[in-house]
């Protein structure tokens, strides 16, 4: 009987102590930042032996985990909101932001579409539902099918801020829940227009230039391309120990930042 | 051993009571959580504005939390998929139970049950990659991701459920009822319509409700193929956004305990009330049309 109690205690003890086990960094949050975090974590573990657990779930969930103290690093494709800062401080956590990469959001159409440039004003009118036919912007006589992202995604938020201004995307816009789903939907529909992160451009999509500027790494870094955003990692307080090592690794131009370009985003250095 | 049989009996009784109670307690806690996380939104918007508001813009400033387009989406897709699925499912069941030879039945029934087990994401993917471009090409629609496509996919999903449950009900109608009918000179068709279907009505209505409530709560398929426009559909080929799709798409990024977060839980609550009502209806129908005597299921 005593032995059973002992084993039970041991098992319970093991389960409770897992998070504190031999150097482990927990990273949670934005699905946009996820590919970067995964690549970097893999290389980081190989080099240092420190285990990193990476999971997605969205910027909101990542920051929520930071507020609850269940993650060391929160990935976010948007900046933290005032309400979230307040709640974190109430819980005794102090989020510190690190800008780790840039992402440009490129409007895309079906490759058969002859339109290749739209101004920000035209994009805004399309997403407000005012331009309903491609012929109004110099394209073929076909209806415009507007594809947007779910309103809480970071990609959508950037689009809203940089393109829509204070106007709303009209209710008839189709909603897709991920970059991948948008590119899938646009590549299957010759009437469609959508927008995806620069890393998701492929041969099935035709990227448009905005105000005559092509979305590339150079135009993103120079700030010329109008629709771009910073991707963040938040830590709980100024990072220490393993978390500090991880953040340093991410920011290192020859290490973490190399993977940023590899997965299709724009590196900071 | 010192444990008496009475004690053993008592122990087993407690053990099974506890197991049974666990499920119920967990469900109650989930409901409680849903209510607790959903209710705070009603301090921001009134229940009427929430249920009947025409605009769903939860992240704008100022936000709009009107879920009427989402409710309309759920309703329209449920009704149209039922129109497709109920006749198909019930008639397949009649065929399998009454008309098909045992050989065909032995082949088709397992296939139907296999289709029932198809992961919904596979059905959704099929709708998105195969069905949508097909519909768009054939009917020349602006987009193939719409109400019609979603209804077909949901019908495809609920037909096997409706079919296999009602087939069981029809098959279990006692042989003597059928024989009595035939002995009185009724044809096979008359027997099916006048005797067998009424006798298995409670089983069939349960099957139909089960199939429909599967469609109401289905998330993945509608998220992938319904298009997702938060507007009240004006035609069969308009894109829609049913309630589960909205929750699934937005929950991940909604700031924790923000109004948006609360409103998504409130949508979940509305959805729960819907499916609950459906199940109550199923229960009621099953009891109302319950056959007593030889045809008791």
């Amino acid at each position: 009987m005593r032995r059973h109690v002992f084993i039970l205690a041991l098992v319970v003890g093991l389960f409770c102590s897992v998070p504190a086990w031999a150097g482990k960094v927990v990273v949670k949050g934005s699905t946009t930042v996820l590919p970067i975090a995964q690549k970097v974590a893999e290389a980081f573990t190989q080099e240092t032996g420190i285990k990193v657990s990476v999971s997605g779930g969205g910027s909101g969930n990542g920051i929520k985990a930071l507020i609850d103290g269940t993650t060391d690093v929160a990935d976010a494709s948007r900046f933290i909101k005032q309400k979230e800062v307040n709640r974190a401080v109430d819980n005794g956590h102090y989020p510190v932001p690190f800008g780790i990469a840039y992402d440009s959001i490129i409007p895309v159409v079906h490759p058969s579409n002859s339109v290749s440039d739209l101004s920000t004003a035209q994009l805004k009118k399309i997403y407000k539902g005012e331009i309903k036919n491609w012929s109004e912007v110099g394209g073929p006589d076909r209806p415009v099918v507007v594809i947007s992202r779910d309103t809480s995604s970071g990609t959508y938020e950037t689009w809203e801020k940089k393109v829509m201004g204070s106007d709303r995307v009209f209710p008839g816009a189709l909603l897709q829940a991920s970059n991948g789903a948008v590119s899938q939907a646009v590549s299957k529909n010759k009437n469609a227009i959508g927008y995806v992160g620069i890393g998701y451009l492929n041969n099935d999509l035709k990227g448009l230039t905005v105000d005559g500027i092509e979305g590339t790494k150079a135009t993103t870094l120079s700030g010329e391309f109008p629709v771009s955003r910073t991707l963040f990692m938040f830590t709980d307080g100024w990072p220490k120990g393993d978390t500090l090592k991880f953040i340093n690794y991410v920011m290192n131009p020859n290490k973490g930042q190399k993977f940023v370009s590899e997965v299709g985003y724009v590196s900071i250095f | 051993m010192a444990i008496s049989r009475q004690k053993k009996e008592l122990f087993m009784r407690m053990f099974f009571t506890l197991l049974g109670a666990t499920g119920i307690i967990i469900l109650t806690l989930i409901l409680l959580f849903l209510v607790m996380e959903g209710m705070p939104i009603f301090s921001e918007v009134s229940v009427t504005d929430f249920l009947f508001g025409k605009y769903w813009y939860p992240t704008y400033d100022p936000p709009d939390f009107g879920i009427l387009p989402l409710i309309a989406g759920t309703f329209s897709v449920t009704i149209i998929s039922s129109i497709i699925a109920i006749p198909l499912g019930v008639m397949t069941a009649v065929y399998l139970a009454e008309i098909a030879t045992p050989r065909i039945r032995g082949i088709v029934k397992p296939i139907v049950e296999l289709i029932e087990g198809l992961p919904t994401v596979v059905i959704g993917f099929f709708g998105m990659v195969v069905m949508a471009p097909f519909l768009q090409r054939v009917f020349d629609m602006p987009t193939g991701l719409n109400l019609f496509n979603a209804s077909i996919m949901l019908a495809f999903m609920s037909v096997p459920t409706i079919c296999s449950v009602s087939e069981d009900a029809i098959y279990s109608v006692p042989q003597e009822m059928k024989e009595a009918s035939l002995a009185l000179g009724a044809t096979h068709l008359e027997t099916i319509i006048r005797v067998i279907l009424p006798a298995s009505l409670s089983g069939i209505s349960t099957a139909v409700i089960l199939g429909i409530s599967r469609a109401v709560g289905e998330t993945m398929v509608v998220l992938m193929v319904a298009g997702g426009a938060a507007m009240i559909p004006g035609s069969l080929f308009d894109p829609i956004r049913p309630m589960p799709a909205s929750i699934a798409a937005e929950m991940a990024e909604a700031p924790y305990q923000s109004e948006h977060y609360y409103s998504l839980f409130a949508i979940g609550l509305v959805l729960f009330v819907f499916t609950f009502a459906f199940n109550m209806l199923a229960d009621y129908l099953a009891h109302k049309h319950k056959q007593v005597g030889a045809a008791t299921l």
Side-chain angles (χ1 to χ4, degrees):
Chain A
M1 194 62 204
R2 284 181 77 121
R3 229 175 67 190
H4 283 115
V5 173
F6 177 72
I7 292 173
L8 192 74
L10 196 72
V11 170
V12 171
L14 270 181
F15 273 109
C16 296
S17 62
V18 163
W21 244 12
K24 188 175 175 189
V25 183
V26 182
V27 182
K28 267 185 205 165
S30 166
T31 46
T32 313
V33 189
L34 190 64
I36 303 178
Q38 277 170 336
K39 279 267 182 186
V40 173
E42 211 173 289
F44 177 72
T45 306
Q46 244 172 33
E47 209 172 300
T48 60
I50 299 166
K51 289 210 175 82
V52 184
S53 114
V54 180
S55 56
S59 307
N61 276 342
I63 290 170
K64 180 185 164 222
L66 196 76
I67 294 170
D68 294 341
T70 54
T71 186
D72 300 309
V73 178
D75 295 338
S77 55
R78 58 169 167 84
F79 198 70
I80 191 166
K81 290 184 178 161
Q82 191 55 44
K83 272 187 194 165
E84 291 168 327
V85 175
N86 294 347
R87 194 162 296 121
V89 171
D90 288 345
N91 271 10
H93 299 288
Y94 298 88
V96 179
F98 293 89
I100 57 145
Y102 295 112
D103 185 20
S104 284
I105 293 162
I106 318 276
V108 289
V109 294
H110 192 265
S112 74
N113 198 322
S114 60
V115 173
S116 62
D117 176 72
L118 289 172
S119 67
T120 339
Q122 283 172 324
L123 282 171
K124 185 171 168 175
K125 277 190 174 163
I126 289 176
Y127 274 84
K128 273 170 79 180
E130 285 170 7
I131 294 179
K132 292 185 185 301
N133 195 298
W134 282 107
S135 60
E136 291 171 57
V137 289
D141 181 22
R142 294 203 293 239
V144 179
V145 171
V146 178
I147 299 181
S148 186
R149 285 288 307 278
D150 47 295
T151 46
S152 46
S153 76
T155 316
Y156 174 87
E157 234 159 279
T158 312
W159 186 259
E160 183 202 327
K161 215 173 285 166
K162 307 280 169 153
V163 175
M164 300 308 290
S166 56
D167 289 308
R168 295 170 163 192
V169 171
F170 80 118
L174 271 66
L175 166 142
Q176 293 293 341
S178 67
N179 273 312
V182 171
S183 50
Q184 179 70 248
V186 173
S187 66
K188 294 274 175 211
N189 188 340
K190 60 182 166 55
N191 305 322
I193 180 168
Y195 51 85
V196 295
I198 192 170
Y200 286 86
L201 275 182
N202 60 45
N203 292 335
D204 296 332
L205 299 172
K206 179 179 176 185
L208 299 180
T209 55
V210 180
D211 296 332
I213 298 157
E214 193 188 351
T216 60
K217 298 197 169 184
T219 53
T220 304
L221 279 178
S222 68
E224 278 175 276
F225 189 71
V227 200
S228 68
R229 60 174 164 175
T230 316
L231 304 179
F232 293 96
M233 283 188 177
F234 287 90
T235 56
D236 177 9
W238 189 254
K240 288 189 290 271
D242 292 340
T243 312
L244 178 62
K245 282 186 204 157
F246 180 72
I247 294 288
N248 277 337
Y249 194 89
V250 173
M251 304 303 282
N252 191 321
N254 299 319
K255 292 173 179 169
Q257 292 295 309
K258 210 179 65 198
F259 296 111
V260 168
S261 347
E262 213 169 88
V263 291
Y265 297 110
V266 180
S267 57
I268 287 197
F269 304 109
Chain B
M1 274 313 264
I3 301 174
S4 70
R5 291 173 64 164
Q6 276 87 355
K7 273 205 176 138
K8 217 178 195 170
E9 175 80 2
L10 188 71
F11 174 75
M12 289 314 272
R13 188 190 288 261
M14 299 238 308
F15 180 68
F16 281 101
T17 311
L18 193 72
L19 280 188
T22 313
I24 296 172
I25 290 171
I26 291 177
L27 277 178
T28 316
L29 286 179
I30 290 177
L31 179 63
L32 197 71
F33 181 74
L34 202 58
V35 172
M36 263 166 50
E37 297 290 62
M39 279 303 159
I41 188 65
F42 297 117
S43 61
E44 295 293 327
V45 290
S46 69
V47 178
T48 341
D49 283 349
F50 184 72
L51 288 178
F52 300 109
K54 283 201 187 92
Y55 296 101
W56 174 248
Y57 283 104
T59 55
Y60 281 81
D61 198 25
D64 269 333
F65 294 106
I67 64 166
L68 191 62
L70 313 184
I71 296 179
T74 294
F75 260 111
S76 52
V77 80
T78 308
I79 290 169
I80 293 171
S81 74
S82 311
I83 291 174
I84 305 172
I86 295 173
L88 266 180
V90 175
M91 284 190 235
T92 315
V94 170
Y95 170 76
L96 284 179
E98 288 298 319
I99 301 166
T101 59
R103 221 176 99 90
I104 293 179
R105 186 170 187 267
I107 299 169
V108 176
K109 184 135 204 244
I111 293 178
V112 169
E113 271 155 14
L114 201 72
I115 296 174
E116 195 179 0
L118 261 188
T120 54
V121 65
V122 175
I123 299 177
F125 197 67
F126 176 80
M128 193 174 181
V129 177
V130 181
M131 199 67 179
F134 173 76
L135 287 177
Q136 197 185 350
R137 213 173 41 244
V138 174
F139 296 102
D140 196 31
M141 309 166 183
T143 171
L145 300 172
N146 55 28
L147 172 57
F148 186 57
N149 191 350
S151 304
I152 294 177
M153 288 301 122
L154 285 187
F156 182 62
M157 227 185 68
S158 41
V159 162
T161 310
I162 296 177
C163 177
S164 69
V165 178
S166 38
E167 201 264 353
D168 287 338
I170 295 169
Y171 196 68
S172 63
V173 172
Q175 194 65 23
E176 54 261 37
M177 289 184 78
K178 207 171 129 188
E179 281 163 0
S181 166
L182 291 171
L184 286 169
T187 63
H188 194 185
L189 186 68
E190 282 167 350
T191 309
I192 290 174
I193 295 172
R194 299 281 174 79
V195 176
I196 293 175
L197 283 184
S200 51
L201 195 62
S202 97
I204 292 177
S205 22
T206 313
V208 166
I209 301 279
L210 277 180
I212 295 178
S213 56
R214 198 173 166 205
V216 173
E218 172 51 33
T219 309
M220 209 56 218
V221 169
V222 291
L223 182 63
M224 290 169 87
V225 301
M231 61 175 185
I232 297 165
S235 90
L236 196 55
F237 303 120
D238 274 347
I240 50 154
R241 186 188 316 174
M243 293 186 275
S246 211
I247 301 177
E250 293 167 34
M251 189 47 104
E253 302 271 351
Y256 178 53
Q257 293 199 339
S258 61
E259 285 141 30
H260 188 191
Y261 175 91
Y262 291 135
S263 67
L264 291 175
F265 271 96
I267 296 178
L269 205 58
V270 173
L271 198 58
F272 173 77
V273 171
F274 274 12
T275 44
F276 188 70
F278 263 118
N279 286 333
M280 290 298 282
L281 190 69
D283 203 47
Y284 170 75
L285 285 179
H287 279 99
K288 191 184 169 198
H289 296 291
K290 197 161 196 166
Q291 298 282 320
V292 281
T296 307
L297 292 179

